[in-house]
Amino acid sequence: MIELQDLCKTFESQNGEHFTALHNITLHINAGEMVQFQGVSGSGKSTLLHILASLLKPTSGRVEIAGENIASYSDYYASLYRRDTVAYITQSFHLLGELTLRENLLPPLVIKELSFKEINAATRKALEIANIAHKADEKVANLSGGEKQRAVIARAIVNDADIILCDEPTANLDKANALKFLEIIKELKRKGKTIVIATHDPLFDDLDIIDKRFMLKEGHLE
Ligand SMILES: Nc1ncnc2c1ncn2[C@@H]1O[C@H](COP(=O)(O)OP(=O)(O)O)[C@@H](O)[C@H]1O
Ligand SMILES: [Mg+2]
């Protein structure tokens, strides 16, 4: 499903200095697997997820998703890939507080030109999976932190993406809300989604639903 081959990412700063954040990453993730990227802050986890989300291009190497090298996509194909294939869950919310939760889920569906009925079905399903359907018509500004995180999950999965990328998903959650997050992610795995989680939260340490763990150290895979 996800195949990385000799992936490198070098950033160039404005004064011309180079910094390599990812060195020759080669790995394989099967469809339906849940994998974790571990590593201290600065080890390259977010850079790797940005590349998998096609938000960032690698400097060299291949990023094959379902047999296609997304590293070679034009901006247009990259945007279609982001719309249809990946969901991206981060610790920052970027929700529109003055709109209701349901309204926050609409943009990707409207872009897809779905019918009213299809939009209703997709939003209902995403809100139910994220366990937040009871707040569908609440203004997002009125939701608690844990509820906002579930709103982010609902917005991320409303496109029914096959691949779900989570960047430090529990970083700003208390234990109770982190456990709720785990229940949602387990449900998504049961539905056959491929799930990639970047985190060093000890909560994930002895989770038996994680199929593989990768350790990043200064941009190298250990
Ligand atoms: N746009 C950028 N320009 C320069 N350096 C960057 C950029 N993005 C990330 N880095 C550097 O790459 C390294 C890895 O960062 P990141 O992937 O965010 O690590 P993590 O998510 O594991 O904390 C860090 O040293 C960071 O400073
Ligand atoms: Mg990070």
Side-chain angles (χ1 to χ4, degrees), residues 5-9 20 22-26 60 219-221:
Q5 188 111 49
D6 274 324
L7 177 74
C8 296
K9 179 65 189 178
T20 299
L22 294 171
H23 300 261
N24 300 90
I25 307 290
T26 296
S60 60
H220 296 269
L221 203 58

Side-chain angles (χ1 to χ4, degrees), residues 10-207:
T10 299
F11 293 109
E12 187 175 349
S13 62
Q14 292 193 329
N15 58 17
E17 278 176 26
H18 290 77
F19 176 81
T20 299
L22 294 171
H23 300 261
N24 300 90
I25 307 290
T26 296
L27 59 83
H28 176 85
I29 299 168
N30 292 316
E33 276 187 325
M34 177 161 357
V35 306
Q36 179 186 6
F37 284 93
Q38 295 173 300
V40 297
S41 179
S43 56
K45 304 183 298 298
S46 294
T47 303
L48 187 54
L49 289 194
H50 283 129
I51 290 172
L52 289 177
S54 194
L55 291 165
L56 202 60
K57 290 254 191 273
T59 308
S60 60
R62 290 179 69 80
V63 186
E64 272 192 24
I65 307 286
E68 289 205 38
N69 183 18
I70 65 163
S72 67
Y73 276 176
S74 64
D75 288 351
Y76 175 68
Y77 276 101
S79 71
L80 293 185
Y81 167 77
R82 286 194 295 271
R83 189 193 70 184
D84 297 332
T85 309
V86 284
Y88 194 60
I89 297 169
T90 59
Q91 68 266 56
S92 47
F93 297 139
H94 301 303
L95 294 162
L96 302 170
E98 290 308 303
L99 300 183
T100 68
L101 172 52
R102 194 193 305 278
E103 287 163 346
N104 267 272
L105 303 192
L106 294 180
L109 304 174
V110 171
I111 295 169
K112 268 188 175 172
E113 297 182 29
L114 298 185
S115 70
F116 186 66
K117 207 173 148 190
E118 288 166 324
I119 286 177
N120 263 337
T123 50
R124 196 180 325 113
K125 191 169 153 212
L127 290 165
E128 277 167 10
I129 293 172
N131 193 15
I132 192 78
H134 55 295
K135 297 282 182 179
D137 297 309
E138 187 65 67
K139 231 168 79 170
V140 160
N142 297 337
L143 301 180
S144 72
E147 288 168 347
K148 281 192 183 118
Q149 173 66 336
R150 297 208 289 289
V152 168
I153 297 170
R155 188 189 49 191
I157 64 177
V158 77
N159 62 351
D160 204 21
D162 288 335
I163 300 173
I164 300 176
L165 307 171
C166 310
D167 197 351
E168 314 267 9
T170 55
N172 297 327
L173 299 182
D174 57 27
K175 186 78 191 275
N177 279 306
L179 292 174
K180 282 183 191 166
F181 171 80
L182 284 183
E183 286 309 310
I184 296 166
I185 212 76
K186 279 182 195 166
E187 175 64 19
L188 290 167
K189 183 174 163 140
R190 268 195 294 275
K191 290 184 179 301
K193 305 295 186 188
T194 306
I195 301 168
V196 181
I197 305 171
T199 183
H200 47 246
D201 186 339
L203 187 67
F204 290 80
D205 283 354
D206 37 38
L207 278 189

